[in-house]
Amino acid sequence: MEINLTVDGTPRESKPDERLIELINRIGLKVPQVCYHPQLGPIQTCDTCMVEVDGKLVRACATHVAPGMNVSTISARAVAAQREAFDRILGNHMLYCTVCDNNNGNCTVHNTTKLMAVEHQKIPFETKPYEVDNSNPFYRYDPDQCILCGRCVEACQNVEVNETLSIRWEDPHPRVLWDGGKPIGESSCVSCGHCVTVCPCNALMEKSMVGKAGFLTALPKTALAGMIDIVKGVEPDTGYGAILKVSEAESAMRESRIRRTKTVCTYCGVGCSFDVWTKDRQILKVEPMEGPTNGISTCIKGKFGWDFVNSSDRLTKPLIREGGKFREASWDEALGLVARRLAEIKARSGPDSLAFISSSKCTNEESYLMQKLARAVIGTNNMDNCSRYCQAPATMGLFRTVGYGGDSGSIKDIENASLVIIIGSNTAEAHPVLATRVKRAHKLRGQKLIVSDLRKHEMAERADLFLHPKPGTDLVWISAITGYILDNGLAKTSFLEKWVTGLEQYKKSLEPFTMEFAAETCGLPIETLKQAARMITESEGVCVLWAMGVTQHSMGSDTSTAISNLLLVTGNYMRTGTGAYPLRGHNNVQGASDHGAMPNYLPGYQLVDDPEVRARFEAGWQVKLPSTKGLDNKEMIDAIHQGKLKAMYLFGEEISLVDSNKNLVDEGLSKLDFFVVQDIFFSDTCRFADVILPASPSLEKEGTFTSTERRIQRLYEVFEPLEGSRPDWRIIQEIANRLGANWNFKHPSEIYAEIASLTPLFAGVTYERLEGYKSLQWPVAADGTDQPLLYEKQFNFPDGKARLFPLTYSEPSDRVNDEFDLHLNNGRLLEHFHEGNMTYRSAGIREQTPDTFVEVSPELATERRIKTGAWVQLVSRYGQVRVRALVTDRVQGKELYMPMNSSESPVNRLTGSFTDKVTHTPAYKEASVRMLVLGENGESPLPRGNPRFGHRTPQRGVEVERKWKRPEYRVPGSPMLFHATKTKANGGNGT
Ligand code: SF4
Ligand code: SF4
Ligand code: SF4
Ligand code: FES
């Protein structure tokens, strides 16, 4: 239903829920709105958006439309109030735009000065009694320039929900505070950059911008101060109009040298997208704004973790092993050698003596070409990617039960859930931006949260119910509460009857999973299990999020299946706020599998042994294709040891550090007759290579990534490839052509056109439909219709019904005993991505998180008489590492945790070769060790500046009501002292 009202004398129509500011902006009227940001909602701190409604002054940002309203944005009273409000702002901010790094055409304070044609300010600028805070490696805060709009506070408290920032409105000189008044570098700030991104002026700024963006901003401080004084000096005579003209000329000049290019984050699978601001090869800043997944959000890695791109260690020359050493070679020589050796080995030992590993950090187009090279040029299905190490079991659980191997909805659907269950995922660190959406819904909307994990990480701290089951037993408690729900008549019977098959057989399989059995096996009280069951059945919608804590177990596929079974029994599919969300780890681990980098699937999960599928690809590629499943990553290493696999071509994958049982893997790699590694750095894996080819990272190429939401997004070339390196797709094409293929792709869009023509799942994907920030969530029909929420009409099986899948339980592998008495868990840290090949090359990240460590519980530390910083030796059945201890109550009892960010002490020296039985995903999380205390005490492995040591200051947001209570506060345009009476109609301005 439309609402009719009048704005500035013109009749207008509006949607019922619209705010006046939204209507005003939609129809293109120019009203100042300094603190308003569409993604933050009304903060109401600036008062510059005052308009007159039926004769009363109200804040347009906080006022909803109502039928018959008569709104004036230009009445004398409204304009006077707007001016007065903005004058107060200028009292907090010195306009020195020409010499300001924020003078880039998008400064809200500058643009509002211009919009309001301010010539002189009535309230003089007054400096505040605080120093600039430079203590964070990535950004700085200048209190003198801070207009106290509170956008940063709102973003930190209610979007990122790290709850670091506040403003103490009662102070004589309020300013933004970190942890209530600590230096930034000693606070809980996780350097996500939300606050910097939304700051409407130069008060918060990326250090990479300071002195770099402007033509005059690199001048020494004294010279800058002199120039600022000149500006101040002429203002009384010339007015701001003339001064702004000069600064705008300077700003326009910047446009000729500053480029803004959209890209998609290269780190985790959340799929954040943003503009990268560059000057030549310098990154000035990362600006997230309108990404369909992240909006203004990023984490430390996406916002600040890009130094690796310009690192001096980048490979820029192909290397060839000769006499036990590497020597530089030309591209022509290296590619010629690769093609010759691959052809020789194929001729001598057959196509299945070669194997190919694709990169889940590289693009969809690159994975597609790699598997096409393996299948169509070499003739083998020995093709895999690192989803084998993490995601394959989750995919299997979904294939078994609902039919598509991807998240059943979008992050928005997770936000809409009334209950979120997180199992085996340190979401706040491994998928930080996705975690913000859960934290926000939990904080602001009352969403409930259950977390099951070995560690009490941030999400566990926030949970309404935290379960700490014994390692490797999630399958048991999940199945037990599913059985309890069925037995007690709490299941969604109507849903089961209409949409699900296999109930009777499944019920039978649940018989052993009694609550008593679960309590004993998992070490969880029966009452806690019943509480979890009640929370699930009493919730309107449940989403389950899980990750490596589930999948990297010997029962990873079965536990993933159990999760989906539970969702089916409780009717939690087919609508928003419900569903299964395996959180994909790498930026393109979903896409690499989607695009055929798997031993049993051609692109789009089309089976290699399906003659109809093969016939289509054979016709498209004009070759005969192999018809039997190839080797997966694990089988490849086994086959090398058995002497069956002779050559391997791998790109963008650090197999030596990330596969389990490193010693065995390294031994295997060293046995290969010929090994090609394509990467951007000399990785650990490169040590075993015969030829190393220098590739380009995501910022130097075009293509698409697919995020955990099945969202396909385009990345654009930010920089040209570093001289000497090449985008992976070009290298793969060159090798294929030297082996006799006749590929002629000039741009990744042409590769995608071929993919779409052969793959029903992506039939309607085109680069035009993905232009800029546009995206598509597969499956995409030929007409371009995508499916953000799966299973709205039916499940992905021929009969349209989901399937309950019966399960049994077996004990985890590699269990503790007298000799190896401690359980070792492992995973990621917020600041580093995996082994840290990229993130260690960021000086700021290294400063905050310089090394790996082992987390030891306070109980164990007391028992073994160790303190934080003590060096210990961890010894497993497979290897040993030396590492420093960090004593923390995140872990309990005899459970240890070791982050994987180290090439010197990689955790995979300790993990074994047990795998998930179905997918061969290594059971990384099933490792036992003994700990030898080495008797040396070192520094804490985490410096004081790490955000873990901060103390958050949660509050509802910027809490503007406290500002309104300041004795001198009165609403602009109102002679009366302000008394806050917040109502929907008057927008809380109390007039
Ligand atoms: S955590 Fe730090 S960087 Fe992120 S919004 Fe809060 S203060 Fe800003
Ligand atoms: S630092 Fe925060 S309060 Fe100050 S101007 Fe920036 S966003 Fe506003
Ligand atoms: S690492 Fe993940 S959460 Fe962080 S910015 Fe990149 S995609 Fe987003
Ligand atoms: S935009 Fe700041 S109070 Fe409305």
Side-chain angles (χ1 to χ4, degrees):
M1 198 187 67
E2 296 285 323
I3 287 198
N4 295 309
L5 68 168
T6 308
V7 183
D8 293 343
T10 308
R12 300 284 183 182
E13 286 184 343
S14 177
K15 293 174 217 104
D17 275 343
E18 216 168 18
R19 294 175 188 282
L20 267 182
I21 199 83
E22 291 166 333
L23 171 68
I24 286 165
N25 291 342
R26 186 161 55 74
I27 60 185
L29 298 178
K30 301 285 177 210
V31 173
Q33 44 194 288
V34 173
C35 74
Y36 181 70
H37 188 296
Q39 292 178 51
L40 299 175
I43 306 174
Q44 305 187 71
T45 50
C46 78
D47 295 336
T48 59
C49 65
M50 300 302 264
V51 294
E52 237 184 309
V53 172
D54 301 332
K56 281 187 184 168
L57 282 175
V58 299
R59 296 184 186 91
C61 67
T63 307
H64 284 86
V65 293
M69 257 184 176
N70 186 4
V71 182
S72 174
T73 69
I74 48 174
S75 72
R77 263 185 89 204
V79 170
Q82 293 163 8
R83 282 187 177 276
E84 187 182 343
F86 192 61
D87 219 51
R88 292 181 195 169
I89 285 176
L90 290 183
N92 273 317
H93 185 92
M94 194 190 285
L95 286 172
Y96 53 72
C97 310
T98 313
V99 291
C100 171
D101 286 298
N102 205 43
N103 184 34
N104 301 301
N106 62 344
C107 175
T108 307
V109 174
H110 176 105
N111 294 346
T112 309
T113 311
K114 192 174 160 203
L115 171 71
M116 300 181 76
V118 176
E119 284 296 336
H120 303 286
Q121 64 191 86
K122 293 203 186 80
I123 302 173
F125 167 74
E126 258 183 61
T127 184
K128 301 184 194 82
Y130 309 111
E131 295 296 310
V132 175
D133 189 334
N134 269 308
S135 61
N136 177 284
F138 305 107
Y139 70 95
R140 64 106 181 94
Y141 173 58
D142 183 352
D144 253 357
Q145 290 296 86
C146 173
I147 59 171
L148 295 166
C149 68
R151 279 191 190 186
C152 56
V153 177
E154 192 68 20
C156 187
Q157 289 285 343
N158 289 343
V159 180
E160 157 67 0
V161 199
N162 201 56
E163 300 171 319
T164 300
L165 295 186
S166 61
I167 295 174
R168 197 155 45 226
W169 292 109
E170 297 75 17
D171 282 353
H173 298 282
R175 53 159 281 172
V176 177
L177 300 170
W178 277 252
D179 285 4
K182 286 274 186 295
I184 306 174
E186 290 176 23
S187 74
S188 58
C189 169
V190 291
S191 303
C192 65
H194 282 73
C195 54
V196 190
T197 295
V198 298
C199 180
C201 60
N202 62 346
L204 280 166
M205 190 175 279
E206 298 84 354
K207 285 186 173 173
S208 50
M209 285 282 282
V210 177
K212 309 271 175 31
F215 283 86
L216 301 169
T217 55
L219 296 173
K221 251 189 161 172
T222 43
L224 269 184
M227 290 185 69
I228 292 168
D229 284 345
I230 292 171
V231 175
K232 275 196 301 187
V234 297
E235 184 259 324
D237 295 331
T238 60
Y240 281 128
I243 297 171
L244 292 193
K245 282 210 171 67
V246 177
S247 63
E248 269 159 28
E250 196 267 354
S251 170
M253 278 163 61
R254 295 185 191 187
E255 279 179 22
S256 62
R257 65 173 190 177
I258 295 179
R259 283 183 65 206
R260 303 171 197 195
T261 315
K262 183 235 172 173
T263 193
V264 182
C265 184
T266 193
Y267 287 110
C268 85
V270 172
C272 299
S273 51
F274 28 73
D275 275 9
V276 186
W277 291 37
T278 52
K279 192 174 90 179
D280 306 320
R281 276 198 75 92
Q282 213 173 358
I283 295 178
L284 293 175
K285 71 167 167 178
V286 159
E287 187 185 32
M289 290 175 300
E290 48 175 316
T293 301
N294 58 311
I296 55 168
S297 297
T298 42
C299 74
I300 178 173
K301 301 181 288 291
K303 177 80 181 173
F304 298 114
W306 296 92
D307 290 357
F308 75 91
V309 176
N310 285 320
S311 158
S312 56
D313 313 335
R314 279 279 303 276
L315 291 170
T316 52
K317 287 248 163 57
L319 301 172
I320 292 176
R321 182 187 294 276
E322 212 168 66
K325 285 196 182 135
F326 287 105
R327 68 160 172 85
E328 291 182 351
S330 69
W331 271 101
D332 189 49
E333 184 189 6
L335 292 171
L337 177 63
V338 170
R340 195 178 78 240
R341 293 288 286 131
L342 294 182
E344 276 170 14
I345 293 170
K346 176 182 166 181
R348 196 179 65 225
S349 308
D352 287 336
S353 65
L354 289 85
F356 297 79
I357 295 183
S358 188
S359 173
S360 55
K361 301 229 76 63
C362 294
T363 63
N364 289 325
E365 294 75 3
E366 288 164 339
S367 270
Y368 174 83
L369 285 195
M370 190 67 158
Q371 60 86 39
K372 186 175 176 184
L373 169 66
R375 295 183 162 120
V377 181
I378 300 293
T380 181
N381 281 318
N382 293 343
M383 175 74 244
D384 210 359
N385 76 88
C386 83
S387 70
R388 188 68 46 205
Y389 300 140
C390 54
Q391 292 300 333
T395 305
M396 178 57 65
L398 297 177
F399 274 149
R400 283 169 167 177
T401 51
V402 286
Y404 277 125
D407 287 8
S408 40
S410 308
I411 294 168
K412 285 215 165 30
D413 297 304
I414 301 174
E415 286 179 66
N416 290 339
S418 38
L419 170 67
V420 167
I421 306 177
I422 299 179
I423 308 175
S425 158
N426 179 7
T427 323
E429 299 199 48
H431 298 86
V433 166
L434 192 150
T436 67
R437 301 323 194 233
V438 177
K439 292 192 279 182
R440 180 178 161 88
H442 188 250
K443 178 173 181 177
L444 302 183
R445 273 207 316 101
Q447 184 181 74
K448 293 280 177 273
L449 179 61
I450 298 178
V451 170
S452 168
D453 209 286
L454 299 190
R455 289 201 310 153
K456 199 150 197 206
H457 48 57
E458 183 186 340
M459 299 313 278
E461 293 276 0
R462 291 179 181 274
D464 300 287
L465 181 64
F466 171 49
L467 310 175
H468 176 181
K470 288 184 195 163
T473 63
D474 286 319
L475 169 76
V476 178
W477 72 261
I478 296 166
S479 298
I481 61 170
T482 313
Y484 175 84
I485 287 168
L486 279 164
D487 291 347
N488 288 278
L490 300 170
K492 268 271 159 33
T493 321
S494 53
F495 183 87
L496 285 170
E497 280 166 3
K498 187 162 180 206
W499 289 113
V500 185
T501 61
L503 180 61
E504 285 317 311
Q505 208 192 344
Y506 173 63
K507 261 185 172 164
K508 203 156 177 37
S509 78
L510 285 178
E511 278 168 11
F513 295 100
T514 61
M515 287 300 231
E516 291 71 24
F517 176 67
E520 196 188 323
T521 313
C522 309
L524 295 169
I526 290 185
E527 196 33 58
T528 307
L529 294 172
K530 285 186 183 169
Q531 189 188 346
R534 273 197 305 276
M535 285 174 76
I536 293 168
T537 53
E538 286 167 9
S539 294
E540 185 65 23
V542 180
C543 289
V544 183
L545 283 46
W546 75 100
M548 285 14 40
V550 166
T551 59
Q552 292 178 339
H553 279 282
S554 53
M555 303 214 61
S557 290
D558 288 348
T559 308
S560 301
T561 310
I563 290 170
S564 192
N565 284 339
L566 169 64
L567 288 166
L568 288 171
V569 165
T570 51
N572 278 301
Y573 271 115
M574 305 187 97
R575 60 205 154 89
T576 187
T578 65
Y581 297 82
L583 304 180
R584 308 304 191 178
H586 282 267
N587 56 319
N588 201 38
V589 69
Q590 179 73 52
S593 298
D594 294 347
H595 291 81
M598 297 191 87
N600 52 340
Y601 291 119
L602 280 149
Y605 302 100
Q606 304 182 80
L607 286 162
V608 293
D609 56 9
D610 181 333
E612 200 188 305
V613 167
R614 257 196 342 273
R616 183 159 13 100
F617 278 88
E618 285 173 347
W621 292 345
Q622 295 290 298
V623 289
K624 194 92 192 115
L625 289 173
S627 60
T628 49
K629 175 193 164 296
L631 301 174
D632 60 39
N633 285 357
K634 151 116 179 48
E635 292 165 335
M636 288 177 197
I637 299 297
D638 291 345
I640 302 171
H641 282 291
Q642 292 155 7
K644 293 182 194 156
L645 195 69
K646 310 283 185 195
M648 185 183 278
Y649 174 16
L650 162 155
F651 77 110
E653 174 64 44
E654 181 61 300
I655 189 172
S656 154
L657 290 178
V658 302
D659 201 346
S660 64
N661 201 348
K662 175 175 170 56
N663 291 335
L664 188 81
V665 172
D666 287 358
E667 207 184 300
L669 296 178
S670 62
K671 285 182 183 165
L672 282 166
D673 287 355
F674 188 62
F675 186 23
V676 184
V677 177
Q678 190 167 301
D679 212 318
I680 58 174
F681 295 114
F682 192 97
S683 64
D684 199 62
T685 308
C686 284
R687 293 185 298 123
F688 304 97
D690 295 287
V691 178
I692 300 170
L693 301 172
S696 309
S698 63
L699 292 195
E700 296 176 1
K701 59 171 85 156
E702 297 219 6
T704 58
F705 289 155
T706 307
S707 71
T708 192
E709 301 175 290
R710 298 169 281 106
R711 189 185 294 282
I712 309 168
Q713 303 185 89
R714 268 182 81 173
L715 42 146
Y716 292 81
E717 189 184 87
V718 176
F719 299 123
E720 286 188 358
L722 191 65
E723 199 178 341
S725 71
R726 295 183 182 179
D728 296 84
W729 67 272
R730 286 194 185 279
I731 305 173
I732 299 165
Q733 170 160 271
E734 181 72 18
I735 289 172
N737 285 344
R738 284 173 188 245
L739 284 162
N742 187 21
W743 300 353
N744 197 19
F745 299 111
K746 304 234 168 14
H747 187 265
S749 58
E750 297 169 10
I751 306 174
Y752 219 101
E754 182 176 305
I755 298 170
S757 73
L758 293 167
T759 317
L761 202 63
F762 311 124
V765 178
T766 64
Y767 268 42
E768 290 69 37
R769 289 185 175 136
L770 297 173
E771 211 178 312
Y773 280 88
K774 287 193 272 184
S775 66
L776 291 165
Q777 288 171 274
W778 65 247
V780 185
D783 65 0
T785 311
D786 68 346
Q787 283 190 38
L789 181 62
L790 291 178
Y791 319 123
E792 277 185 301
K793 297 205 180 84
Q794 61 167 69
F795 289 95
N796 190 35
F797 291 116
D799 62 358
K801 295 197 173 183
R803 301 168 178 177
L804 284 165
F805 192 97
L807 298 165
T808 53
Y809 171 68
S810 55
E811 301 273 332
S813 59
D814 202 340
R815 309 189 72 200
V816 292
N817 61 13
D818 287 348
E819 194 183 355
F820 300 100
D821 60 332
L822 305 174
H823 177 268
L824 177 69
N825 187 10
N826 58 77
R828 284 190 196 148
L829 274 187
L830 170 69
E831 295 87 350
H832 282 291
F833 197 80
H834 265 248
E835 70 294 325
N837 278 354
M838 294 185 291
T839 41
Y840 271 119
R841 288 174 166 94
S842 158
I845 290 180
R846 239 185 11 252
E847 185 183 319
Q848 289 201 335
T849 317
D851 201 359
T852 191
F853 46 83
V854 59
E855 289 183 354
V856 177
S857 71
E859 314 85 271
L860 189 64
T862 308
E863 185 194 305
R864 306 285 162 102
R865 297 192 184 168
I866 54 172
K867 291 206 166 84
T868 287
W871 283 96
V872 296
Q873 184 100 28
L874 299 179
V875 184
S876 78
R877 296 174 176 95
Y878 311 96
Q880 47 188 288
V881 298
R882 185 175 171 271
V883 67
R884 274 180 290 172
L886 182 79
V887 180
T888 166
D889 58 9
R890 285 191 185 197
V891 286
Q892 288 183 23
K894 292 192 164 183
E895 291 171 0
L896 307 173
Y897 179 85
M898 199 177 150
M900 55 172 82
N901 52 301
S902 177
S903 49
E904 288 82 39
S905 302
V907 70
N908 284 320
R909 269 203 205 118
L910 302 170
T911 52
S913 293
F914 292 101
T915 65
D916 171 48
K917 293 172 198 69
V918 190
T919 61
H920 288 167
T921 293
Y924 295 94
K925 304 292 196 273
E926 293 174 8
S928 48
V929 294
R930 65 171 173 267
M931 182 168 74
L932 310 176
V933 180
L934 298 177
E936 310 157 42
N937 268 335
E939 296 276 298
S940 165
L942 281 184
R944 176 67 194 87
N946 190 280
R948 280 191 187 204
F949 302 118
H951 298 283
R952 296 190 172 99
T953 49
Q955 57 179 49
R956 284 172 292 116
V958 71
E959 297 186 351
V960 67
E961 298 84 355
R962 287 164 52 203
K963 170 182 172 172
W964 295 339
K965 284 189 187 139
R966 283 177 69 87
E968 81 282 8
Y969 180 80
R970 70 179 177 79
V971 178
S974 149
M976 314 269 291
L977 277 183
F978 178 67
H979 296 290
T981 48
K982 203 174 169 192
T983 69
K984 194 172 173 182
N986 71 10
N989 62 24
T991 53

